[in-house]
Amino acid sequence: MGVNDTRTVTSRRRFISTLAAGIALGTALTTGLAAPAQAATVTESGKNLAGWTTEVGDGVFAAEGQAAVNSADITVENRAADSRVRANILNRGVMAHVISYKRVTDTSMMKTVQKANYQFAMPYVPSTAGGERNAQTVEGGLFVWDGLDTRVDHGTAFQWVLNPWDPNFGQIQIWTSANGGSWANGGYLKPDTAWHTVAMTVDPVKKKVELVIDGKNLNAPYSVTPKSGWGTDVSARLQVEAISIYPGATATWAPQHEVLVRNWKWTRQ
């Protein structure tokens, strides 16, 4: 965890009745036995993404003559109050995809309710006027990978379409299970430089999710996505993503893209 992270563990006690609780406590005291362990709620949080893992995603493209997108094309810069998640930082003729994520590996994750939220903002508004910065998408998600049993990724995600030439400019799309995993229209968020809040819940037991942006429930479906080549672990994953604008088939230069992220919180219970 980064220097701004906090971690709290609080006990969840379940009582059948006040009488039953008193009997159980009295028995433990008279026999000298410790009270049974209780299920725990774990909360982690941070002002920025310090301690997260950053990798190249799969939403990439390299124009003719350009080297494939690699780790030199992306970065996450952690500052005191937020993080800059940046793609195509070398201004190459590519579409670069940066993913920053925090992962918790434990078999209990498929039996645990995941709740997470964070704030995100564009430091500029994408425009057909061009310039040094432009965008393809901003994305985020909360998933649980079940590598032991179902071999699918359980969860929810959103995609903010920010390519100003795209007819869906400003559309919020939601992740679905259709065709092995695909996007569907979930609403609209006007491209601006304001701070927005996304809140996500994933319950693998009840197979329910909730995806809320700025207080609006997007009615996202519970998605299951098959993945090839993934491990046999069981792990939960909170992620932030940015994809730089598609440059064209023969581009030798393309704009950078960045999104700001702050104040994340993740509770597992």
Side-chain angles (χ1 to χ4, degrees):
M1 293 184 291
V3 295
N4 293 315
D5 293 345
T6 60
R7 183 181 180 91
T8 60
V9 179
T10 59
S11 296
R12 268 194 313 147
R13 296 181 175 84
R14 298 176 177 175
F15 296 99
I16 297 174
S17 67
T18 302
L19 178 61
I23 294 173
L25 179 59
T27 301
L29 291 174
T30 56
T31 60
L33 298 177
Q38 304 292 329
T41 295
V42 178
T43 298
E44 297 180 83
S45 62
K47 292 183 179 180
N48 58 33
L49 306 183
W52 289 37
T53 300
T54 300
E55 295 180 354
V56 175
D58 58 2
V60 297
F61 170 84
E64 182 179 348
Q66 296 289 312
V69 176
N70 59 74
S71 59
D73 295 305
I74 64 171
T75 191
V76 172
E77 299 172 358
N78 296 312
R79 305 183 294 190
D82 62 18
S83 291
R84 298 175 67 202
V85 181
R86 302 174 60 204
N88 197 19
I89 61 176
L90 301 179
N91 291 110
R92 298 201 299 123
V94 301
M95 182 171 74
H97 182 182
V98 54
I99 300 178
S100 191
Y101 63 89
K102 184 174 181 63
R103 178 165 58 195
V104 175
T105 300
D106 193 289
T107 55
S108 68
M109 293 299 100
M110 278 297 293
K111 300 177 181 178
T112 303
V113 177
Q114 313 285 333
K115 294 186 177 183
N117 59 75
Y118 58 80
Q119 294 177 298
F120 63 95
M122 290 288 292
Y124 65 96
V125 178
S127 170
T128 56
E132 291 293 320
R133 296 183 295 182
N134 234 328
Q136 190 71 29
T137 69
V138 165
E139 305 178 14
L142 182 62
F143 290 94
V144 181
W145 164 246
D146 181 14
L148 284 179
D149 187 13
T150 61
R151 300 290 300 173
V152 296
D153 217 17
H154 302 248
T156 189
F158 75 95
Q159 178 187 82
W160 193 13
V161 180
L162 291 173
N163 183 329
W165 285 275
D166 192 311
N168 294 320
F169 184 51
Q171 185 180 103
I172 293 289
Q173 299 187 326
I174 52 179
W175 189 246
T176 77
S177 302
N179 302 313
S182 61
W183 296 106
N185 183 24
Y188 177 81
L189 181 63
K190 182 181 178 180
D192 58 19
T193 57
W195 283 100
H196 302 283
T197 300
V198 58
M200 297 169 284
T201 300
V202 176
D203 186 340
V205 175
K206 295 182 179 179
K207 291 183 169 50
K208 293 182 178 181
V209 301
E210 188 174 70
L211 176 59
V212 178
I213 295 182
D214 293 344
K216 181 181 179 180
N217 193 321
L218 300 183
N219 296 317
Y222 186 90
S223 71
V224 289
T225 312
K227 299 288 185 179
S228 61
W230 285 32
T232 57
D233 60 300
V234 176
S235 54
R237 197 174 69 254
L238 175 60
Q239 59 197 52
V240 176
E241 308 176 45
I243 302 179
S244 64
I245 196 166
Y246 174 73
T250 60
T252 58
W253 179 94
Q256 298 187 24
H257 172 33
E258 68 178 275
V259 61
L260 306 180
V261 181
R262 70 183 185 186
N263 297 336
W264 65 271
K265 183 178 180 181
W266 184 5
T267 298
R268 301 179 292 276
Q269 60 186 25

